[in-house]
């Protein structure tokens, strides 16, 4: 990466549904990236991610919201069928894919249930809130598991992650379509401040030139939002009187 010659993308949810989905995406990506458990450090990171994932799933009916969103996106695609120049074959393939994902998600066991019932995961979760609570004398079962052959551990991790695939696939589809629904527009911030309307949007996507060394603090909801751009160095950093950035309301 070049030091100061790239845009940084920031995303901000405009409703609780999008907030939950972005957090789930963040955690599911960590599971995939950290699935090779070679030492205690990354193993505890993996189990902590699983625990946070289960905590979020327990807070609301994620399955129902995703199925509703897949149905909503199918209806939006249906409205494009008669538009001249639209690739109808590709559109129908996407609609059928979303229909299949809805069926798989609906037929899947309760989200996260198999992970919560797993003995090793359950025992590690109980100790994660205790400082240093996963030492070998606290969790000898984890210490023993880490000494299993890597192939055995990899198979177990793949099985755990596999239980989340119906959620992962549906979530990726919904977020991808939401993100594609908004086009970036150049806007100008005055004294580090910008506000606008966001009718029925779910996510704000903000691109800022890294040369400014600014990050956005966003407040808002589905109808209106405000952005305050803050310098990374809060003591000596400065915010230009006017600077250009890109934003998409999705």
């Amino acid at each position: 990466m070049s030091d100061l010659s790239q845009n940084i993308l920031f995303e901000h949810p405009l409703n609780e549904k999008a907030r939950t989905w972005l957090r789930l995406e963040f955690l599911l990506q960590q599971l995939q990236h950290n699935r090779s458990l070679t030492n205690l450090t990354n193993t505890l990171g993996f189990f902590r991610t699983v625990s946070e994932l289960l905590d979020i799933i327990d807070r609301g009916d994620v399955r129902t919201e995703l199925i509703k969103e897949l149905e909503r996106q199918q209806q939006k695609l249906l409205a494009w069928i008669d538009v001249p120049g639209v690739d109808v074959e590709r559109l129908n393939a996407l609609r059928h894919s979303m229909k299949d994902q809805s069926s798989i998600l609906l037929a899947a066991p309760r989200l996260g249930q198999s992970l919560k019932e797993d003995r090793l995961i359950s025992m590690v979760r109980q100790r994660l809130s205790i400082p240093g609570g996963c030492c070998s004398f606290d969790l000898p079962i984890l210490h023993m598991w880490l000494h299993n052959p890597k192939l055995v551990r990899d198979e177990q991790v793949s099985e755990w992650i596999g239980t989340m695939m119906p959620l992962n696939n549906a979530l990726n589809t919904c977020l991808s379509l939401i993100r594609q629904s908004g086009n970036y527009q150049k806007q100008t911030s005055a004294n580090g401040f910008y506000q606008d309307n966001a009718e029925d949007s779910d996510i704000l996507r903000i691109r800022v030139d890294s040369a400014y060394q600014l990050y956005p603090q966003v407040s808002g909801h589905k109808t209106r939002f405000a952005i305050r751009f803050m310098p990374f160095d809060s003591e000596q950093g400065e915010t230009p009187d006017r600077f250009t950035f890109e934003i998409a309301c999705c």
Side-chain angles (χ1 to χ4, degrees), residues 19 34 59 63 69-70 78 88 99 111 150-151 205 211 248:
R19 187 182 307 276
N34 300 321
R59 291 174 191 166
R63 187 207 310 256
E69 182 65 24
L70 287 169
L78 189 61
V88 177
K99 186 176 180 180
L111 293 179
K150 188 175 185 302
L151 180 60
R205 311 190 81 202

Side-chain angles (χ1 to χ4, degrees), residues 158-220:
S158 295
E159 182 179 330
W160 287 332
I161 293 177
T163 65
M164 290 287 100
M165 290 313 295
L167 168 64
N168 186 71
N169 293 337
L171 182 66
N172 285 342
T173 296
C174 289
L175 286 176
S176 176
L177 290 170
I178 289 173
R179 286 169 172 139
Q180 292 176 42
S181 69
N183 296 317
Y184 284 102
Q185 297 181 352
K186 287 188 176 181
Q187 300 292 351
T188 301
S189 164
N191 297 316
F193 184 76
Y194 178 81
Q195 63 180 355
D196 203 350
N197 297 319
E199 291 293 336
D200 297 323
S201 296
D202 292 305
I203 298 173
L204 285 182
R205 311 190 81 202
I206 305 162
R207 290 200 297 214
V208 181
D209 190 330
S210 61
Y212 289 117
Q213 288 289 281
L214 299 172
Y215 63 91
Q217 287 189 337
V218 183
S219 60

Side-chain angles (χ1 to χ4, degrees), residues 106-119:
L106 188 61
R110 184 178 177 184
L111 293 179
Q113 190 62 34
S114 61
L115 296 180
K116 285 191 290 186
E117 293 175 351
D118 185 274
R119 181 166 174 257

